[in-house]
Amino acid sequence: MPEWKKEIRKQLAALNLSPTREEEIIEELSDHLENLYEEIIAEGATTEKAYGEVLSSLNQNDLLAELRATKRTVTLDPIPDGLLNSGHFFTGLKQDLRYAARMLRKTPGFTAVAILSLALGIGANTAVFTIVNTFLLNPLPVEHASQLAAVNTAQAKKTSEPLDLRPLSFLNLKDYREKNHAFSSLAGYSSPMALTMSAGSESQRVFAEVVTGNYFDTLGIRPRMGRFFLPDEDARPGASPVVVVGYAAWQGRFGGASDILGRTIKLNNIAFTIIGVAPQGFKGVNAIFGPDLWVPSMMAEQVLPAQQHNALRERAVLTFTGAGRLRSGVSLSQAQADLKTIAVALETEYPDANQGQTVTLRPLTEAAIATNQRQGLLFGSALLMAIVGFVLLIACSNVANLLLARAAARRQEIAVRMALGASRWRLVRQLLTESVLLGLFSGILGFFFGYGGCQLLWSFRPAEFAQNLVDPHLNANVFVFVLVVALFTGLIFGIAPALRSSRTPVVEALKEEARTAGRSVSRVSLANSLLVGQVAVSLVLLVTAALFLRSVQREYLITPGFETKNLTVFLLYPGQLGYDRTRTEQFYKDVRDRLATVPGVASVSWAANLPLFSRAQTGVVMEGQEQRKKSEAISSVVNTIDLDYFSTMGIPLLAGREFTQNDREGAAPVAIINDTMAGRYWPNQDPLGKRLQLPGQKEFRQIVGIVKTADYQTLGEAPQSCVYVPLRQNYSESMVLYVRTEHDPSQMIPSVQSEIRNIDPALPIDDIRTGTKVIEQALWGAKMGVGLLGVFGFLALVLASIGLYGIMAYSVNQRRREIGIRMALGAGQASVLHLILRQGMMLVICGVGIGLMLSILLGRALSKFLYGVGASDPASLIGASLVLLTVALLACYLPARRASQVDPIIALHES
């Protein structure tokens, strides 16, 4: 019989242990080595080979090597307590990290699965947080964004209606800039508008903003190339045709040409000189959509639509939003009080334009997102962050289960460390170090997963707006988020296994055989609890994704109030090519006449508004209701239309008549309203023959018809008022061409383009949308959100299935002896298969039951964001449950099948 005590004493000789402690360790380890020796002999090895393997395991034991390195410090001279504690902490931390890395290298399979699971969860969180950070937390890539405030016109008196924020007139903005004491600088910018840009022989549509000369200086922006506007270029109307190009436009539209400065381009057929390129990542102060270029405010008349040509001269033309940088020590409320004082004076001095109006301020970061978009964006962001948080929780639960299984195999290692004097706290710290190191490695991989996910997600944005949509950007916030999540994740999934492992009974563990450590009921119970939680959370995520998917499907079925089938719209801007009014009106007539003769074209018309992209105007006045306070001015969508518009769109006429050839300039002004406006402002009356006045117009228009209400801004919106006016009485230089075909419109598009080019080959015809595409664009945000929900729900399902498979495989491995005994006593493969499947599926069914209850509760909370789908939608609940149960059954079947194929003789021999 080998002398194990002698060999152990040789290993401990260099540790300088006390005789008593050394004898205790020798007794405990000798029993362990003897058991291991007998096990190897039982497997058929020779005595020499068994002796060599046991001796090798003792000589190469990482724990003894580490303890030998640390215990030598006992013989050193005494060190003061403070220095001792400090030195031990950093020395111990270094040792913990080194040992943790060594242990992870020794189990590459476990390490790879754990890192991949966590990286998927962290990557999902990183992707969503990057988007949230880009649009909500850090939407403006400008200098000291917290010092900037947006300035808008608002109603002087509060009403029950939502706050109506409107732009400022240029003259009012100028007065605010010159008379205020709160801002060190106050600039102005318009909304992005479509212009026709000609560079050489090619024409294309671009988006531009008209800005004051101090716009870039106020924001603290520095040019990538060239310069920004000089004071002289913002002093005289029409005198300085210069333009600044955005970085994305420089790269995409000009190929990143190094000689871009000094080039001449034409905007709306007027020559402009490029003087600078904005820095990379800056696309204006809109968090989502930015312009291609910026034009100085003194060139407003040359680029703004005809109805805004007097923007520099009339206070009633509201064009600019103010962007001011607060002086040091001035708060937003103080600045608001200062500007309101000026607003009162302007109302007194210019009552015709400013009566009932005041000014309102808010942080520019808040104004970067349109008011009607902010609530949806906040809700979507919060929902996605919650969902990816649950996905990460499932990943953590998976790794915790893996650690619990791994702890069973490390019981003897931990027992040896405790036998050699390691405290429970020291073991917990070591095990947590391994977990945190796993978390950090997962965080690094998850960061790349998240970044790649963002790029993949953003590749699905509409191609026609790709250069104008703000790109998700990485900054310090994202890096700190990933680091915190990685560290927190390591602690979350590591704490329970670490605490449980540190309670290992030393003597019992050392006497256990290496491969038959026995099944810990408490350990499996904890793992089962984690698994039930995984299944429940996975079902909640699947049900949530299903609810929103069905909601979007129902939105596709929404009737927008017009017929989208066989409808195509062409965005044309003849006025931007220098057409005067006579030529533009003739162009509209020629297009109608030519297309009416094209085979397959059913009807043609023109309208100022694009479907589902209309804007409401405030200031509609009803004759006989002029006493209505201006602070309670009526808002309505206003659309200029040509003949046959309603038949082309499929909007039914409910009363009165449509517009005719006689409704032209010089004839009695007329209008058609929708039934929502009729019922709201003339209840229990006949609106036909009544008169109304539109914003910015002096004459009253007689109502000659009533049509059915449609959706004007979003699908499924609350009914809102709309006024239609005839094109012949309300000239517009830019219109949308509506063409209804008899068959598939995509086949007719080339014919329509050819006819238009026959009239004017230089006119750009690159923005074409079918009715189906209009609906898809309106639902793009919702579809992207549902797509993400589906991806994260699928990811949760995969992680939960892996966790289920892992714990079932571990359970089968630990029960091999039990299974062998059962089969030796006559149990067949079918009964063993049924036993294991029942064990796994019982856990799954418990999780599904809990998940269904949670899903119903969550559905009620989300019900107001769903369209046409109830909180307890049976299809969503049953469908998600069946998917989960099917995948779970497969995850349970594989380990159960392996268990049913256990050879009883081999299983009993191994035990």
Side-chain angles (χ1 to χ4, degrees), residues 841-898:
M841 292 308 294
M842 284 301 295
L843 296 175
V844 173
I845 291 172
C846 289
V848 169
I850 296 173
L852 284 174
M853 291 187 291
L854 293 176
S855 298
I856 293 173
L857 293 176
L858 182 61
R860 291 176 180 174
L862 300 176
S863 59
K864 66 178 180 179
F865 300 101
L866 301 172
Y867 179 84
V869 179
S872 54
D873 177 51
S876 299
L877 294 173
I878 296 174
S881 299
L882 289 177
V883 169
L884 182 57
L885 287 171
T886 302
V887 175
L889 181 62
L890 178 62
C892 290
Y893 173 76
L894 297 177
R897 183 173 179 272
R898 190 176 67 177

Side-chain angles (χ1 to χ4, degrees), residues 345-378:
L346 291 176
E347 183 179 11
T348 302
E349 189 172 357
Y350 307 101
D352 291 342
N354 294 320
Q355 185 176 358
Q357 296 181 358
T358 185
V359 68
T360 185
L361 276 65
R362 53 186 172 148
L364 191 60
T365 52
E366 180 181 325
I369 302 173
T371 305
N372 61 341
Q373 297 174 336
R374 190 172 187 83
Q375 183 178 3
L377 192 58
L378 285 171

Side-chain angles (χ1 to χ4, degrees), residues 569 571 606-617 637-641 645 649 712 722-724 734-738:
V569 295
L571 277 69
W606 292 92
N609 295 347
L610 185 67
L612 300 179
F613 285 87
S614 301
R615 291 184 179 181
Q617 297 183 25
V637 172
V638 179
N639 194 6
T640 299
I641 63 174
Y645 172 79
M649 288 291 287
Y712 306 105
C722 182
V723 180
Y724 300 92
S734 299
M735 297 287 283
V736 178
L737 175 65
Y738 288 73

